[in-house]
Amino acid sequence: MMGRRSARRAEGEPGPRVLEGARVLVTRSPDRAAALLAALRETGAEPLLLPLIDFERARDLHSLEVAFDALGAGAYSWLVISSVTTVQALEELARERGSTLSQWLPGSVQVATIGPATRRELESRGVAVDLAPARLQSGVGLLDIWPQGPGSVFLPQADIADGRLADGLEALGASVQAVTAYHTVDYPADPARSFTPEEPAAVTQPGAEVLTPAEAKAELAAGRLHAVVAASPSAARRIHAGLSPLGDCRFVAIGRSTAAEAASLGLPVAAVAEEPTASGLVSAVVQALAPGHSTPPPPAPETHVKDRT
């Protein structure tokens, strides 16, 4: 298998090129894959894109808008955001009101989030993050550090988000308003329902070949793909439905919830990223394609997970 051979390097060869020749399928849309594509190329891998999921505006915009207006009026003590897409959905609502998310938030509200990507997205928009887990970057990690006691929480999230985050917060004393902020759909989203780009003139250059599901299936059948990266449980479900069996292609998951979803579907998980970042995913790919690597036992699912997008 090419990827497993390429994980070896002769003495004197540059260390970073540990994936030389490996072809890695990234199941993300072009606008969300740039960092991972760049990180894979630095290791010598050839990344290919297979967009599987996309996002559309909430179909019940009234409920979201009512809660968002209440947020701006100071009705909540906490805003909990668990995905980059949620940030984009709220920013779009703020723009419609002639504002920005950072300007819309009253000084009394505290902001909590989960992963580093969402935190970076918030901070890039001028929104300070008051609470985020450092060790376990997931919903259970947030619950571990949540300040127990009363408080009102606005929790905008995906339509397929796991309800146990809201349940866990309420068990700790919070009053939670969970509202659907966006819907997870098969790629591509309906243009009439997709989020409006903040800079329409900007053109995303994925810098990688974009495959259709049929083309990806043909590459798998020919043994020309060495690893496939799933960045969410819904991506794992779509990989299982459209691409399995994977043969010698190694399945790499972004975290325990994605890995648990894959294992429940019968997809062997070769490696799980320790951190939900581009570097964390690349390290997991390196681990999956290492010589003599054996598939670890399926991970135990977390008692509660983040947005199941």
Side-chain angles (χ1 to χ4, degrees):
M1 174 177 162
M2 185 177 182
R4 294 169 76 179
R5 290 200 304 271
S6 65
R8 292 193 295 266
R9 73 178 194 279
E11 185 176 350
E13 288 184 359
R17 309 289 293 184
V18 291
L19 290 177
E20 191 75 55
R23 303 179 83 231
V24 180
L25 188 64
V26 176
T27 57
R28 276 180 167 172
S29 57
D31 62 321
R32 293 167 181 261
L36 180 54
L37 297 180
L40 284 167
R41 285 197 195 90
E42 288 179 359
T43 69
E46 177 190 352
L48 302 98
L49 280 173
L50 175 62
L52 291 178
I53 62 174
D54 211 341
F55 309 101
E56 294 179 355
R57 294 186 187 92
R59 293 175 191 132
D60 181 10
L61 272 176
H62 177 71
S63 295
L64 178 60
E65 289 176 337
V66 168
F68 188 71
D69 288 339
L71 173 69
Y76 302 102
S77 51
W78 282 94
L79 169 63
V80 175
I81 298 183
S82 57
S83 72
V84 169
T85 308
T86 300
V87 182
Q88 294 171 338
L90 298 186
E91 191 70 75
E92 186 167 281
L93 288 175
R95 287 204 308 272
E96 291 172 356
R97 288 153 175 77
S99 183
T100 65
L101 182 57
S102 63
Q103 293 168 346
W104 189 258
L105 296 178
S108 58
V109 71
Q110 296 186 84
V111 178
T113 188
I114 291 174
T118 306
R119 180 170 194 153
R120 285 194 301 270
E121 185 73 14
L122 285 164
E123 292 177 341
S124 73
R125 298 172 184 272
V127 177
V129 174
D130 300 287
L131 188 67
R135 184 184 62 84
L136 190 57
Q137 295 169 336
S138 67
V140 69
L142 182 59
L143 290 177
D144 284 345
I145 62 172
W146 188 264
Q148 190 164 354
S152 54
V153 176
F154 177 37
L155 177 62
Q157 53 190 351
D159 60 317
I160 57 174
D162 193 290
R164 286 175 286 182
L165 176 54
D167 293 343
L169 292 171
E170 288 184 339
L172 292 171
S175 173
V176 180
Q177 179 70 47
V179 180
T180 296
Y182 63 93
H183 290 263
T184 304
V185 298
D186 289 337
Y187 184 89
D190 180 351
R193 301 198 62 85
S194 60
F195 292 106
T196 304
E198 294 174 49
E199 299 179 13
V203 178
T204 301
Q205 298 291 342
E209 184 178 357
V210 181
L211 305 181
T212 65
E215 290 169 340
K217 184 74 172 176
E219 291 289 305
L220 273 171
R224 291 193 292 265
L225 293 177
H226 305 114
V228 57
V229 175
S232 68
S234 58
R237 292 192 290 273
R238 286 165 171 80
I239 289 170
H240 174 261
L243 299 181
S244 61
L246 297 181
D248 288 334
C249 182
R250 298 301 185 101
F251 184 98
V252 177
I254 196 172
R256 294 180 65 85
S257 59
T258 301
E261 185 74 16
S264 73
L265 296 168
L267 290 173
V269 178
V272 181
E274 293 185 6
E275 296 181 347
T277 61
S279 59
L281 280 168
V282 170
S283 295
V285 173
V286 172
Q287 176 188 346
L289 298 181
H293 173 80
S294 59
T295 300
E302 294 178 353
T303 56
H304 134 81
V305 295
K306 63 179 180 179
D307 270 8
R308 294 177 63 81
T309 54

